[in-house]
């Protein structure tokens, strides 16, 4: 069964979105079991994503990784983004059919991070907007109702090969992460 991403011509508040929690930990260190989750929706063809990480030592630009294919029926390719509380480290377009990696200008994305705390503790968020023109340029599609996309989300731990994944990483090898994306369907809100 597909997971659902909602679409609307207007902003949808993050509190109204389903949270997809990282539950697959590839670590023996209990302190690396940081609670993270991802929320996403489509607004007027733009993909909006927001990560939430309860990580009191957040710093840098490589804490999180996001992989997505916005047209898996036609394209055997994906966008890979490394980011953290301090901004985006890299954005790459990976064409797995031709085995090529092309850097993408991170300024093509809109990114905003912020930190706060609540009863559960300190957390930080990273909001990414993938604009509709970028979706069209790299995936030859527009995001609309009944579009299917593939996605996975990772938390990477410093000075370690330890990581955690939203969806199971069957080989437990971070280099093969693009092979383990799950399907989402876009439905009108």
């Amino acid at each position: 069964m597909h997971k659902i991403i909602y679409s609307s011509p207007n902003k949808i508040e993050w509190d109204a979105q389903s949270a997809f929690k990282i539950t697959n930990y590839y670590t023996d260190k209990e302190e690396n079991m940081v609670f993270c989750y991802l929320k996403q929706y489509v607004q007027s063809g733009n993909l909006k994503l927001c990560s939430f990480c309860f990580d009191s030592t957040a710093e840098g630009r490589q804490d999180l990784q996001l992989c997505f294919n916005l047209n898996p029926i036609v394209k055997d390719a994906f966008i890979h983004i490394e980011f953290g509380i301090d901004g985006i480290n890299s954005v790459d377009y990976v064409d797995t059919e031709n085995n090529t990696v092309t850097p993408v200008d991170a300024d093509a994305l809109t990114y905003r991070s912020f930190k706060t705390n609540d009863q559960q503790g300190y957390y930080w968020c990273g909001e990414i907007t993938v604009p509709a023109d970028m979706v069209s340029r790299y995936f030859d599609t527009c995001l609309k109702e009944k579009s299917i996309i593939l996605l996975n989300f990772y938390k990477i731990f410093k000075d370690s090969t330890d990581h955690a994944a939203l969806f199971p990483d069957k080989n437990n090898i971070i280099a093969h992460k693009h092979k383990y994306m799950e399907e989402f369907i876009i439905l009108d809100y």
Side-chain angles (χ1 to χ4, degrees):
M1 182 169 184
H2 299 302
K3 291 107 187 119
I4 296 172
I5 296 177
Y6 287 110
S7 177
S8 173
N10 304 310
K11 179 180 180 180
I12 303 174
E13 294 300 325
W14 291 120
D15 288 346
Q17 300 300 315
S18 298
F20 294 91
K21 299 173 188 167
I22 285 181
T23 57
N24 300 283
Y25 291 91
Y26 301 94
T27 178
D28 294 326
K29 300 176 192 168
E30 191 168 315
E31 66 268 17
N32 280 351
M33 294 184 143
V34 172
F35 179 59
C36 290
Y37 59 90
L38 182 71
K39 295 183 176 192
Q40 60 272 325
Y41 72 96
V42 175
Q43 180 186 10
S44 301
N46 302 309
L47 179 61
K48 306 272 194 169
L49 305 126
C50 191
S51 61
F52 295 75
C53 287
F54 288 79
D55 187 354
S56 61
T57 60
E59 60 181 53
R61 295 174 174 259
Q62 297 176 322
D63 291 349
L64 302 175
Q65 294 183 13
L66 184 61
C67 298
F68 53 82
N69 178 336
L70 303 179
N71 193 1
I73 295 167
V74 175
K75 294 274 189 178
D76 190 16
F78 64 95
I79 295 281
H80 175 258
I81 304 171
E82 283 186 6
F83 65 103
I85 195 167
D86 296 331
I88 295 175
N89 182 53
S90 66
V91 182
D92 293 312
Y93 176 76
V94 181
D95 183 340
T96 54
E97 187 174 314
N98 297 313
N99 202 27
T100 60
V101 177
T102 306
V104 175
D105 183 6
D107 290 337
L109 304 171
T110 303
Y111 183 73
R112 176 178 83 94
S113 67
F114 59 94
K115 53 187 171 181
T116 188
N117 64 323
D118 64 12
Q119 296 87 350
Q120 295 175 309
Y122 168 90
Y123 67 96
W124 70 274
C125 298
E127 289 182 352
I128 297 173
T129 300
V130 181
D133 66 332
M134 186 175 174
V135 172
S136 176
R137 183 178 331 121
Y138 289 99
F139 295 99
D140 299 325
T141 193
C142 60
L143 299 176
K144 58 187 184 293
E145 185 166 39
K146 297 189 180 171
S147 292
I148 302 290
I149 71 169
L150 301 177
L151 182 141
N152 207 348
F153 174 56
Y154 297 84
K155 169 69 177 149
I156 309 301
F157 301 102
K158 289 187 187 234
D159 303 321
S160 173
T161 58
D162 290 355
H163 66 284
L166 184 59
F167 300 111
D169 182 350
K170 295 171 183 66
N171 285 338
N172 190 19
I173 301 170
I174 199 73
H176 295 291
K177 62 188 159 286
H178 64 278
K179 294 181 181 181
Y180 306 107
M181 293 185 275
E182 292 283 327
E183 288 187 349
F184 287 78
I185 187 168
I186 297 171
L187 299 177
D188 286 341
Y189 187 65

